Amino acid sequence: MCTRFRFCASLLFPQAASTCVRNNASKQQERVQGTNDSSVVSKVSAAAQGYFHDDFLKHFVCKVSRRAPLINRGYYVRWKAVDHCLKQFFHATQSCSRRQILSLGAGFDSLYFRLHAEGALGGVTVFEVDFPEVARLILSNPAFYAVFIRSGHYNLIGVDVRKEQEVEVTLSGAGLQWDAPTLVLSEVVLTYMETQWSDAVIGWAAKLLPQSVFVMYEQIHPDDPFGRVMQNHFLKLNSTIHALKQYPDTVTQTQRFIQKGWEKCVCLDMNQFYFDLLLEDERQRVEGLEPFDEFEEWNQKCSHYFILTASKDSVVEVHVLFSLLVSSIPHMTPQWAERPTLVIQPMCGSPSIEAVGMASAVLAPGIILLTGGCGRSGRDTTARVLIKEKDGWKCACVEAHGDKGDLISGAVLFGGRTSPLNPTDSVGCVTFDPGNEQSQSAVKLSFRNMVCTGTGPKPRWRHTSTLICYKDKTFLFVFGGRTEKDPVLADAHFLCLEDKHWTEMTVVGAVPEARHSHSACPYGGGLVIFGGLGKGSRPLCDAFYLRPTSSGFCWETKNLHPPPVPRYSHSAHVINEKLVVVGGVWLQADGVPGVAVINLSTGSCVEIQLDTSSVPWPLMLHSFCCELLDSEGSEMVLIGGGGNCFSFGTHLNLHPITVDLRPVLCNSY
Ligand SMILES: C[S@@+](CC[C@H](N)C(=O)[O-])C[C@H]1O[C@@H](n2cnc3c(N)ncnc32)[C@H](O)[C@@H]1O
Ligand SMILES: *[C@@H]1O[C@H](CO)[C@@H](O)[C@H](O)[C@H]1NC(C)=O
Ligand SMILES: *[C@@H]1O[C@H](CO)[C@@H](O)[C@H](O)[C@H]1NC(C)=O
Ligand SMILES: *[C@@H]1O[C@H](CO)[C@@H](O)[C@H](O)[C@H]1NC(C)=O
Ligand SMILES: *[C@@H]1O[C@H](CO)[C@@H](O)[C@H](O)[C@H]1NC(C)=O
């Protein structure tokens, strides 16, 4: 068996035939194991948390570290997509006597070993290719070495995949049979070479392997805010991602493979893969592994990666790999209005406010209260006010003052969380003293907990609380949200502020389905609910009017046409019978949401693009606050927002910005 090892090793390194075994293994191993910023560490972390099973990856790292749930999920979905294609290929070719996997840029992948250990390989021969230097490093790992020697179906080959002729000679020499059914795998590899080269690889694979299926996983959507952060990350690492400039989405990637000689091609982004190719049981298993609250970041990560399979006229049909009948999250084209566009304006002289998940309220004209949220230094407990002054805006931190003044003149806070395991059901009230007109820096706020009677809602977050007036009383209406146990809620509660009592109210009509991260705006004596993230973490696009009646309230469903693209984590306001929905996260359309304008009388709906060219940084409109400063909509202020961009770093919007909505409000859509 050792003979076989030497044979392979010398054959496989055409440029450095005999150096691989004799090199000082411990030093190289250090380098292998020093890749703690690489995907291997994250895959090891995900495996350790139970996302998938892999006993071999851990041999490539010094110690198993625990990554954030978002990272674990991100690597899980990548691992699962590749695994799905492999298993489907094995199934489709089970009657073939000779089958092969050719993994391009395999790096420190454990594919062969884990498949072998699972007993899934069934005689499939694996060829892993990487640069000669990388292949040599892999060979120097003792754990690897031990397993390697025992295997008869494993080949590690050091060659530059851009060099077609060298590839052909080396792989032939290693025993690859060009006409046997072969799965060619490229997991984040081709994107690191210039597009002419990745195109060439896709081309030679189609030409040299007539019975093959190509499986590729890499990035897309480089130009939206998340995509810009993603690109910058790779630029900083000196590993520019290339092909996505020319092939920015699933459609162009598909066309690319057809142009390079493949006959059929299916390309899904990872949201589509997750929702449409994983069984509900598996999604529930994965979603239950760790406390998780990064929905926006997770969906955005998934919309920036794809899994593609392309086939020749072969034993393996692409549709076999992705046996997808009807998508449950079909791709949509937003109904963009030709004009006008809404123009984002930097806020004159505005302070820097970098935080996500704050709550806001307008306390008085030009005075916005911001509470809670999470900034660069963690959760923020102090409240802030943004104050509009003659020469611009300023931000003041506020101190708690003595308890005085009229309850209703400030703001009421309900719920929220510290960790996702620790939500609250407390009701806080903020009273406000505008102080001296000349110097608004003297704004005084007092905070206190409100002790309420009656049965209140259970602790929650990502709900809405909205003030409505009914029969001369003021109610805080709480709807939806989630708890540490309930992924979505549909219960509604009324807190009478004058009585400090959670009041039973008669509500008839069809209750909106359970959701969180939706919007609720006062409207017509009641309120209107829009969108959110529903059961199974699917975004919603429905609207409901909670209409006051003589005996309570009645839910009425609003029919919207054309249906807007489902979204969540947006903000909304009603201005003159129009529901104006700003930002949010969607999965089913390219780009990011701008402003949806819904005519509440007719249900007609139009999407307006936001012109963000005046903002030099990527503007991420989710987990943000949004307040209107006047009833005409001439000044809407957007504050905070952003989030973790997977492993590319955290991006928080730098400054508040404003939008003048009047161009879309005077249009009779
Ligand atoms: C980001 S890693 C991915 C490794 C592995 N496919 C995975 O998913 O874990 C990219 C790998 O491609 C290899 N690679 C890049 N360009 C290559 C080329 N022209 N020829 C061979 N390997 C290449 C790199 O050495 C590196 O190991
Ligand atoms: C390998 O390198 C280590 C540390 O650099 C050194 O201690 C060791 O003696 C070297 N081994 C051989 C066989 O050269
Ligand atoms: C690896 O992790 C250590 C400790 O966390 C850190 O000091 C080092 O810079 C990291 N190396 C790389 C290459 O990221
Ligand atoms: C990227 O390359 C530049 C220029 O060659 C160099 O100065 C810089 O240190 C490199 N950055 C990293 C992270 O390797
Ligand atoms: C709603 O649409 C109707 C019919 O097109 C139109 O007459 C009305 O002005 C619109 N409402 C608003 C607030 O624009």
Side-chain angles (χ1 to χ4, degrees):
M1 276 199 257
C2 285
T3 318
R4 176 176 164 76
F5 170 66
R6 287 215 187 84
F7 167 76
C8 282
S10 56
L11 183 76
L12 303 182
F13 301 96
Q15 293 102 339
S18 55
T19 52
C20 52
V21 192
R22 265 185 260 125
N23 267 344
N24 186 329
S26 67
K27 204 165 222 167
Q28 284 168 345
Q29 201 181 319
E30 225 169 80
R31 274 175 61 200
V32 177
Q33 296 185 338
T35 55
N36 56 352
D37 58 344
S38 79
S39 63
V40 182
V41 179
S42 300
K43 283 186 183 172
V44 171
S45 163
Q49 293 308 313
Y51 285 86
F52 53 82
H53 192 82
D54 191 321
D55 285 334
F56 291 92
L57 270 173
K58 57 175 181 277
H59 296 306
F60 289 117
V61 296
C62 315
K63 70 173 173 63
V64 179
S65 20
R66 183 165 180 177
R67 294 261 157 127
L70 174 66
I71 303 291
N72 289 336
R73 264 202 205 184
Y75 279 91
Y76 160 78
V77 79
R78 164 172 166 179
W79 184 95
K80 191 75 185 171
V82 171
D83 189 63
H84 176 89
C85 295
L86 290 169
K87 298 292 162 63
Q88 297 287 315
F89 171 76
F90 294 157
H91 183 73
T93 58
Q94 59 190 350
S95 61
C96 306
S97 56
R98 169 82 185 191
R99 301 179 285 164
Q100 307 169 142
I101 294 172
L102 171 57
S103 175
L104 307 177
F108 304 110
D109 201 354
S110 60
L111 179 130
Y112 171 80
F113 305 103
R114 68 162 180 90
L115 290 174
H116 181 71
E118 272 177 43
L121 219 40
V124 174
T125 307
V126 176
F127 298 84
E128 291 197 334
V129 181
D130 210 297
F131 284 125
E133 308 80 60
V134 179
R136 234 175 285 129
L137 274 178
I138 295 166
L139 277 181
S140 67
N141 185 318
F144 177 94
Y145 191 90
V147 192
F148 177 79
I149 292 173
R150 267 186 268 117
S151 77
H153 287 281
Y154 179 76
N155 301 271
L156 177 64
I157 297 144
V159 68
D160 184 338
V161 300
R162 291 171 298 185
K163 300 180 178 161
E164 179 184 339
Q165 268 157 16
E166 251 180 64
V167 168
E168 202 178 347
V169 171
T170 320
L171 284 174
S172 297
L176 186 99
Q177 293 179 15
W178 297 96
D179 56 356
T182 304
L183 182 146
V184 185
L185 173 63
S186 167
E187 187 180 338
V188 285
V189 173
L190 297 190
T191 185
Y192 294 114
M193 51 190 85
E194 281 162 17
T195 310
Q196 68 186 95
W197 290 117
S198 50
D199 281 347
V201 173
I202 293 168
W204 70 240
K207 188 181 70 182
L208 298 177
L209 292 154
Q211 297 254 41
S212 60
V213 53
F214 202 110
V215 174
M216 182 152 104
Y217 174 90
E218 62 188 49
Q219 300 91 343
I220 35 168
H221 294 149
D223 297 321
D224 61 23
F226 184 99
R228 285 167 63 193
V229 174
M230 175 171 84
Q231 283 202 82
N232 282 337
H233 167 79
F234 289 106
L235 266 179
K236 276 189 227 147
L237 291 178
N238 285 347
S239 54
T240 309
I241 40 178
H242 289 281
L244 75 182
K245 286 195 190 74
Q246 205 169 322
Y247 309 110
D249 51 36
T250 54
V251 173
T252 45
Q253 286 286 354
T254 306
Q255 288 164 352
R256 174 194 200 184
F257 274 75
I258 301 299
Q259 278 161 14
K260 301 294 163 211
W262 295 85
E263 276 152 24
K264 295 199 183 103
C265 182
V266 179
C267 184
L268 304 177
D269 77 29
M270 299 314 288
N271 284 312
Q272 292 173 305
F273 173 82
Y274 186 76
F275 283 109
D276 291 334
L277 285 161
L278 296 186
L279 297 175
E280 184 167 352
D281 285 356
E282 172 66 357
R283 288 200 305 273
Q284 277 181 3
R285 181 190 74 81
V286 164
E287 289 171 15
L289 288 172
E290 293 180 279
F292 187 84
D293 199 33
E294 289 83 30
F295 300 99
E296 292 84 357
E297 289 97 334
W298 159 241
N299 285 145
Q300 288 194 320
K301 189 263 152 147
C302 286
S303 65
H304 285 80
Y305 281 88
F306 66 82
I307 183 82
L308 169 151
T309 70
S311 69
K312 303 274 291 182
D313 182 20
S314 71
V315 285
V316 204
E317 291 283 344
V318 163
H319 66 258
V320 176
L321 269 69
F322 287 155
S323 52
L324 174 70
L325 296 173
V326 183
S327 174
S328 66
I329 51 157
H331 197 267
M332 294 173 78
T333 307
Q335 205 69 29
W336 294 117
E338 293 241 333
R339 60 185 70 237
T341 342
L342 287 173
V343 182
I344 296 276
Q345 299 290 350
M347 222 162 78
C348 172
S350 84
S352 150
I353 297 180
E354 296 178 86
V356 300
M358 297 180 292
S360 63
V362 175
L363 293 174
I367 301 185
I368 300 172
L369 170 71
L370 298 168
T371 61
C374 193
R376 294 222 173 259
S377 50
R379 266 187 300 276
D380 238 313
T381 44
T382 56
R384 290 181 273 203
V385 284
L386 258 186
I387 305 163
K388 187 176 187 176
E389 292 183 333
K390 284 187 196 70
D391 53 346
W393 288 78
K394 62 180 274 230
C395 182
C397 287
V398 290
E399 293 158 38
H401 277 259
D403 178 13
K404 51 184 179 301
D406 175 13
L407 180 69
I408 314 291
S409 71
V412 184
L413 308 168
F414 168 77
R417 70 165 175 89
T418 51
S419 84
L421 294 177
N422 194 18
T424 173
D425 61 356
S426 72
V427 183
C429 88
V430 183
T431 53
F432 160 67
D433 173 0
N436 182 330
E437 271 298 316
Q438 258 69 51
S439 145
Q440 284 188 325
S441 48
V443 167
K444 289 196 187 80
L445 293 180
S446 80
F447 287 85
R448 68 174 169 206
N449 268 337
M450 191 196 280
V451 180
C452 304
T453 54
T455 311
K458 51 181 157 180
R460 67 189 61 206
W461 76 99
R462 289 181 177 266
H463 57 284
T464 48
S465 12
T466 316
L467 287 180
I468 50 184
C469 290
Y470 181 73
K471 295 191 173 169
D472 296 330
K473 291 217 163 155
T474 318
F475 290 90
L476 184 74
F477 175 76
V478 173
F479 180 76
R482 58 166 307 172
T483 74
E484 68 279 29
K485 289 204 189 72
D486 311 288
V488 276
L489 295 167
D491 52 345
H493 302 264
F494 294 82
L495 173 64
C496 175
L497 294 183
E498 287 84 357
D499 303 343
K500 299 182 187 172
H501 181 71
W502 291 101
T503 310
E504 290 292 326
M505 195 75 82
T506 305
V507 181
V508 297
V511 178
E513 73 165 90
R515 67 193 66 210
H516 64 71
S517 311
H518 51 286
S519 58
C521 310
Y523 168 66
L527 54 79
V528 59
I529 300 269
F530 175 77
L533 207 52
K535 190 167 166 283
S537 299
R538 288 171 197 273
L540 301 168
C541 63
D542 48 3
F544 299 87
Y545 174 31
L546 183 74
R547 184 172 57 82
T549 66
S550 56
S551 56
F553 289 88
C554 175
W555 283 115
E556 286 177 3
T557 307
K558 289 268 174 197
N559 290 314
L560 305 185
H561 49 87
V565 181
R567 75 199 70 186
Y568 68 98
S569 201
H570 53 278
S571 285
H573 294 276
V574 173
I575 311 167
N576 308 329
E577 287 287 309
K578 277 177 171 160
L579 178 66
V580 178
V581 179
V582 185
V585 172
W586 65 27
L587 320 185
Q588 285 156 256
D590 293 347
V592 291
V595 173
V597 181
I598 296 166
N599 180 327
L600 288 170
S601 322
T602 63
S604 75
C605 182
V606 64
E607 304 269 4
I608 315 287
Q609 233 133 11
L610 277 175
D611 174 352
T612 60
S613 52
S614 68
V615 186
W617 32 269
L619 177 64
M620 289 193 175
L621 291 182
H622 55 82
S623 314
F624 68 112
C625 292
C626 176
E627 293 297 341
L628 271 181
L629 294 188
D630 60 357
S631 55
E632 291 86 52
S634 69
E635 196 171 13
M636 183 173 67
V637 182
L638 315 183
I639 310 153
N644 291 325
C645 301
F646 191 50
S647 51
F648 314 135
T650 298
H651 176 78
L652 304 176
N653 293 329
L654 270 60
H655 294 277
I657 49 158
T658 70
V659 187
D660 180 353
L661 292 171
R662 285 173 300 181
V664 295
L665 295 173
C666 60
N667 247 310
S668 59
Y669 294 122

